[in-house]
Amino acid sequence: MHFLDTLNPEQREAVLHTTGPLLILAGAGSGKTRVITSRVAHLVGDGHAQPPEVLAVTFTNKAADEMRTRVETLLGSDCSRMWVSTFHSLCARLLRREAPAIGLSRDFVIYDSSDQLAVVKQALKALQIDDSFVQPRAALSRISSAKNRMESAEKMAAGAGDNRRDESIAKVYARYLNALKEASALDFDDLLLKTVELFETAPTVRSKYAQQFRFVMVDEYQDTNRPQYLLIRRLAEVHRNLCVVGDPDQSIYKWRGADLRNILDFEHDFGDAKIIKLERNYRSTQVILDAASAVISQNRNRKDKHLWTDRTGGARIAYFRGGDELEEADYITRSARAGLADDVEAMVAILYRTNAQSRTIEDALMREGLAYKIVGGVRFYERKEIKDALAYMRLVINPHDDVSVRRVINVPSRGIGKGVIDAVEKIQLTAGHVHDDLPLLSAGLAPAQTANSLWSRIVRGLEDRAFTGRAATSLAVFRDLIVSLTGVAREDSVSITLGKILDRSGYLHDLREDRSEDGEARIENLAELVSAAREYEGREAEPSLGGFVDRLSLLSDVDEEQGARDARIWMMTLHSAKGLEFPTVILAGLEEGLFPHSRSSNDEEELEEERRLCYVGMTRARQRLVLTGAARRRIFGEYQSSEPSRFIDEVPQELIDRIAPTSSSSSYQGNFPHYQFRTNPYGGGRRVKEAVPVYAYEDEDQSTGMSLRAGMRVRHPQFGVGSVVSVEALTDDTKLVVRFNLVGVKTLRAKFARLEPA
């Protein structure tokens, strides 16, 4: 068939292999989708199989639709009779036909995430477990993880030991399963589990489909979990024409249940398997491929391959290590602008390990007027936890803000539900009854503006003992919280006030108890918000909580009309970037504890997954790859120093251009970093070379003698006007960090800076 002529030798060999098990190790950018679709088209077009005898499974509806469209294009005919779908769609289709074989009605309903959460909340209520002790979302996450491991509620309970919380979640799990059974409902995990149960307990049904599917193909096999593995084994057990396509080096979903052993052990499971490696890359330059290959080669649990391209050479990888995350963000912004300038159609991707990292980068892009969009996520200032924190701050300024009261009066849960709010709204107030024992931080509200507020009704109702029981206690706790925080705001800085809001409200405690990936990400975002408050304090001459809230409100009021919809700068986490590619990729935050993440510090498996994530990020780049990090980064407003990521050391040094954070000013003797050697802190005894920016200044004292403080506006003869971010006393001088309007953040010595008041 004519499309075979477009394939390289390895791709062609994979397509023409039609008998027995086949493992296709497809490196990044090696054209695996072309191979899968060409193989399906060849099987049907060359008469090896009828359309209903071919099953092709992948993970997303988008990938399944693309696969089907490509096959139809290659064959020039309709493929509706062919089974091309996601795992979950396949299982739903099989169960609709065969569910009675396991005592399940064909008319089962499928619960989405909101339905599942409602069932968990009902279970908590029935078991009289306070949702502040076991958060519903955390319980649901644990239940899903258990299902992916095929772990029963009984086994979870047995493993709980003396942990009351785990014991409670096991009870919720058992009740959750029973509730779904009574409702004849399945969740997404059940679709897989019930299909596995069908094939394990109904041999007639299993034989029927194993006979029908003469050819089974699985895309992204490295991402399969235990139930998916068992399902595929059963479907392919008769004809054994199973073709799996994947790359162990791109397995990055362990936290979602993916089992790397499924692809690593394929040859053990199928001793006669044919193995074909797709190593020719059609995406990246050889420099990028060599760098990524050097990093991933440090992993032990993998199958070796060598990526190559006929696009020899390429630009070296840029590595910038800023003094802090602000300097890093400024460099990222400049790099993104340069990437866009190369080509009017160019795209730039900014990738990061955690969502919290986006904040400083978003600020820098907005400041420079560069349109961007967040892919697979929400803009920093639009995230729920940020909006919640903003609502709390607004209440501290003005408790009569009904919108903010409604948003956080029961966040975290205080037992103030709809019934309590209804009771509050029924409290009658007259002009003479307006009573407010809380002096506002922002003066100027007229009595008419507060007369009918929820806050006034809460205060009045508590004084008149209009509420009873838990409602009275919960409302009093909320009132006292806001009153006490108003006192804090009058005495403490913005960042400290924010920290105490998050602490005293129970918001942080609630997230810490969550113990889920999502809860941890929200904590990181709130820590970043506190850091933003510290930056705000450093920039403003008279910082205030009201000023900070105004700034957040303006930043969060960003809509699609400002160009985000058509933005050519895309920002996303590394997990969201899988399957995408861009001319320029900027990989941010390459620091120990951030990337690789701190969770991997004492876990070899977690570290290898972090390295695979780095490999995925690097191989998204087609022409230009930029790596960045910071020497220190604010965590909950306080600076913490960091070591460069070990992944930087794993890239061959001849492939990297190290960009020093130095100025082009004539007051510096050079723009090149001074290199010093240090012992590798990660073992092995080898010494590695690290670029340490050492500024060489003129010997002449050029200080003007003026007193400098954070927030002060200054003028530099070369850099123009800026604001002092921080002032640090040295033995014989003062170290200044100044953010200039035109050139970003610079680190200076006061003695030689020649600064003047602006």
Side-chain angles (χ1 to χ4, degrees):
M1 303 184 76
H2 67 87
F3 57 80
L4 296 177
D5 297 334
T6 66
L7 305 175
N8 68 37
E10 293 76 23
Q11 292 173 333
R12 185 184 178 92
E13 182 183 8
V15 168
L16 295 178
H17 180 91
T18 58
T19 305
L22 171 65
L23 169 61
I24 302 175
L25 291 173
S30 61
K32 70 178 179 65
T33 304
R34 171 185 286 188
V35 172
I36 296 170
T37 53
S38 296
R39 190 168 189 272
V40 173
H42 171 67
L43 291 172
V44 175
D46 213 41
H48 296 282
Q50 295 300 310
E53 295 176 328
V54 176
L55 170 64
V57 191
T58 186
F59 277 83
T60 67
N61 288 313
K62 180 181 177 182
D65 291 343
E66 181 183 355
M67 193 181 299
R68 187 179 295 105
T69 300
R70 286 203 192 187
V71 172
E72 288 177 343
T73 300
L74 291 174
L75 289 176
S77 60
D78 179 54
C79 294
S80 58
R81 295 171 60 228
M82 198 177 298
W83 290 58
V84 179
S85 71
T86 64
F87 274 100
H88 290 94
S89 295
L90 167 67
C91 292
R93 186 175 176 183
L94 291 171
L95 289 172
R96 292 294 182 199
R97 294 183 174 190
E98 312 293 348
I102 54 173
L104 181 68
S105 168
R106 287 192 181 93
D107 299 322
F108 63 85
V109 296
I110 300 174
Y111 277 4
D112 63 17
S113 55
S114 61
D115 299 324
Q116 294 171 251
L117 194 60
V119 174
V120 168
K121 289 179 178 178
Q122 291 168 359
L124 288 168
K125 184 176 181 180
L127 292 166
Q128 296 184 320
I129 299 172
D130 196 304
D131 56 11
S132 64
F133 178 61
V134 175
Q135 288 76 37
R137 290 189 185 278
L140 187 57
S141 176
R142 289 282 298 277
I143 290 169
S144 181
S145 295
K147 286 187 170 188
N148 279 324
R149 297 191 303 270
M150 303 185 74
E151 179 181 291
S152 66
E154 292 76 17
K155 186 174 181 181
M156 180 186 283
D162 297 329
N163 189 312
R164 286 183 54 244
R165 187 171 178 276
D166 288 352
E167 183 183 8
S168 297
I169 292 176
K171 291 178 180 178
V172 173
Y173 185 10
R175 187 170 285 267
Y176 174 87
L177 292 175
N178 190 58
L180 263 63
K181 183 177 180 181
E182 290 179 350
S184 190
L186 303 180
D187 62 20
F188 293 122
D189 297 317
D190 285 332
L191 291 174
L192 297 172
L193 293 172
K194 290 297 181 182
T195 308
V196 170
E197 180 185 340
L198 174 69
F199 286 165
E200 294 294 332
T201 60
T204 303
V205 175
R206 179 175 75 234
S207 177
K208 172 184 173 181
Y209 289 100
Q211 289 284 356
Q212 175 182 330
F213 295 127
R214 296 184 57 229
F215 294 92
V216 178
M217 274 172 286
V218 185
D219 189 17
E220 304 286 8
Y221 192 63
Q222 76 279 351
D223 294 333
T224 54
N225 60 20
R226 182 67 179 170
Q228 289 162 338
Y229 167 82
L230 294 174
L231 174 63
I232 292 301
R233 286 290 301 270
R234 286 303 191 186
L235 286 171
E237 67 182 5
V238 172
H239 299 290
R240 300 184 77 256
N241 294 325
L242 172 62
C243 170
V244 300
V245 185
D247 182 5
D249 292 339
Q250 297 187 70
S251 178
I252 58 174
Y253 297 118
K254 180 173 178 285
W255 54 276
R256 215 162 61 184
D259 191 341
L260 184 61
R261 293 173 299 177
N262 292 348
I263 191 167
L264 292 178
D265 294 345
F266 187 82
E267 299 151 84
H268 179 266
D269 296 337
F270 298 91
D272 58 337
K274 173 81 171 178
I275 301 173
I276 297 175
K277 296 181 181 181
L278 303 183
E279 298 174 304
R280 182 176 179 180
N281 178 281
Y282 292 91
R283 177 187 301 156
S284 307
T285 66
Q286 192 64 55
V287 167
I288 293 171
L289 296 180
D290 288 347
S293 296
V295 171
I296 199 63
S297 68
Q298 304 296 316
N299 275 6
R300 283 183 265 187
N301 291 312
R302 63 184 299 265
K303 291 182 180 292
D304 189 49
K305 58 185 179 302
H306 176 68
L307 294 183
W308 64 277
T309 178
D310 54 10
R311 299 172 59 197
T312 58
R316 295 210 296 180
I317 296 164
Y319 170 51
F320 176 85
R321 180 166 159 83
D324 58 20
E325 73 272 27
L326 300 179
E327 195 168 29
E328 179 196 28
D330 286 339
Y331 179 79
I332 288 172
T333 300
R334 293 197 300 273
S335 297
R337 189 188 291 279
L340 297 179
D342 291 343
D343 180 357
V344 293
E345 300 296 326
M347 300 285 290
V348 174
I350 302 172
L351 311 181
Y352 34 79
R353 178 63 181 85
T354 68
N355 275 307
Q357 290 172 254
S358 78
R359 198 272 303 175
T360 51
I361 303 170
E362 287 187 65
D363 283 357
L365 291 171
M366 284 189 284
R367 191 169 56 248
E368 294 298 317
L370 293 176
Y372 68 93
K373 72 174 180 178
I374 304 288
V375 178
V378 180
R379 286 169 176 257
F380 183 84
Y381 295 106
E382 292 294 325
R383 292 169 191 163
K384 178 185 181 300
E385 58 276 14
I386 304 302
K387 289 286 195 181
D388 289 344
L390 177 58
Y392 268 114
M393 287 187 282
R394 282 175 170 158
L395 284 181
V396 170
I397 296 167
N398 171 22
H400 299 286
D401 176 359
D402 280 3
V403 171
S404 295
V405 168
R406 292 182 188 279
R407 182 174 185 104
V408 298
I409 193 170
N410 201 40
V411 179
S413 177
R414 300 184 178 90
I416 305 178
K418 183 179 183 300
V420 178
I421 295 297
D422 288 344
V424 169
E425 290 178 334
K426 290 176 182 176
I427 298 295
Q428 296 297 313
L429 292 173
T430 65
H433 283 155
V434 175
H435 182 86
D436 189 356
D437 60 352
L438 176 61
L440 303 178
L441 279 181
S442 294
L445 289 178
Q449 294 174 275
T450 64
N452 295 310
S453 72
L454 286 174
W455 176 261
S456 295
R457 295 173 189 275
I458 290 170
V459 172
R460 183 69 184 183
L462 288 171
E463 288 184 347
D464 292 348
R465 301 183 184 277
F467 312 115
T468 59
R470 185 181 179 185
T473 302
S474 299
L475 288 170
V477 167
F478 179 71
R479 176 200 61 190
D480 295 344
L481 170 68
I482 301 303
V483 170
S484 68
L485 290 173
T486 301
V488 169
R490 291 184 178 280
E491 301 294 330
D492 291 331
S493 67
V494 177
S495 57
I496 291 176
T497 298
L498 176 55
K500 289 183 178 179
I501 287 173
L502 298 174
D503 183 42
R504 294 185 185 181
S505 66
Y507 204 104
L508 276 179
H509 176 269
D510 203 48
L511 290 175
R512 289 188 178 114
E513 287 297 306
D514 189 322
R515 300 183 191 177
S516 69
E517 191 91 10
D518 181 62
E520 185 173 319
R522 291 179 186 276
I523 291 172
E524 290 169 347
N525 287 337
L526 290 171
E528 188 61 29
L529 184 64
V530 176
S531 296
R534 285 296 296 272
E535 287 172 24
Y536 163 79
E537 292 164 0
R539 282 196 303 266
E540 297 296 321
E542 297 181 2
S544 67
L545 187 65
F548 183 58
V549 167
D550 287 346
R551 179 177 182 275
L552 291 192
S553 299
L554 292 171
L555 285 172
S556 64
D557 189 24
V558 178
D559 57 35
E560 294 293 322
E561 298 307 314
Q562 291 185 297
R565 184 181 304 153
D566 301 316
R568 292 190 290 141
I569 298 174
W570 288 15
M571 297 176 61
M572 69 196 84
T573 64
L574 283 150
H575 284 99
S576 297
K578 190 166 183 289
L580 303 176
E581 60 181 72
F582 302 88
T584 298
V585 168
I586 303 170
L587 187 46
L590 279 152
E591 302 146 33
E592 288 294 310
L594 182 55
F595 191 35
H597 199 279
S598 57
R599 283 194 303 269
S600 67
S601 57
N602 297 310
D603 189 322
E604 188 65 28
E605 283 190 15
E606 292 287 347
L607 177 59
E608 293 211 348
E609 177 124 342
E610 291 289 297
R611 192 174 278 113
R612 291 193 292 270
L613 198 54
C614 184
Y615 173 80
V616 166
M618 296 173 77
T619 53
R620 298 311 93 195
R622 291 205 295 262
Q623 291 143 14
R624 186 166 175 250
L625 176 61
V626 178
L627 309 177
T628 69
R632 63 175 188 169
R633 192 175 292 270
R634 286 189 193 270
I635 308 295
F636 275 111
E638 297 298 326
Y639 273 121
Q640 294 183 13
S641 60
S642 62
E643 287 287 326
S645 170
R646 67 191 71 190
F647 302 149
I648 298 296
D649 288 338
E650 292 168 359
V651 176
Q653 295 306 299
E654 65 271 15
L655 302 180
I656 291 185
D657 278 333
R658 291 177 178 261
I659 313 299
T662 57
S663 165
S664 60
S665 167
S666 60
S667 65
Y668 298 106
Q669 292 183 347
N671 294 330
F672 301 99
H674 166 69
Y675 288 99
Q676 70 179 28
F677 284 89
R678 61 179 174 84
T679 302
N680 180 10
Y682 314 114
R686 67 188 178 94
R687 290 167 66 79
V688 295
K689 187 167 65 173
E690 176 191 356
V692 179
V694 178
Y695 301 126
Y697 299 91
E698 294 178 358
D699 293 333
E700 181 184 354
D701 187 337
Q702 301 171 42
S703 62
T704 58
M706 70 177 186
S707 177
L708 294 163
R709 66 179 186 282
M712 187 174 186
R713 300 282 290 173
V714 294
R715 184 184 302 277
H716 186 277
Q718 178 76 20
F719 306 143
V721 175
S723 297
V724 178
V725 175
S726 66
V727 179
E728 181 181 338
L730 303 176
T731 304
D732 60 346
D733 198 357
T734 301
K735 177 183 172 183
L736 306 173
V737 176
V738 183
R739 173 178 291 280
F740 293 98
N741 297 343
L742 297 178
V743 298
V745 175
K746 299 295 179 185
T747 301
L748 308 169
R749 296 286 184 93
K751 187 182 294 185
F752 310 114
R754 295 177 291 174
L755 294 177
E756 297 176 350

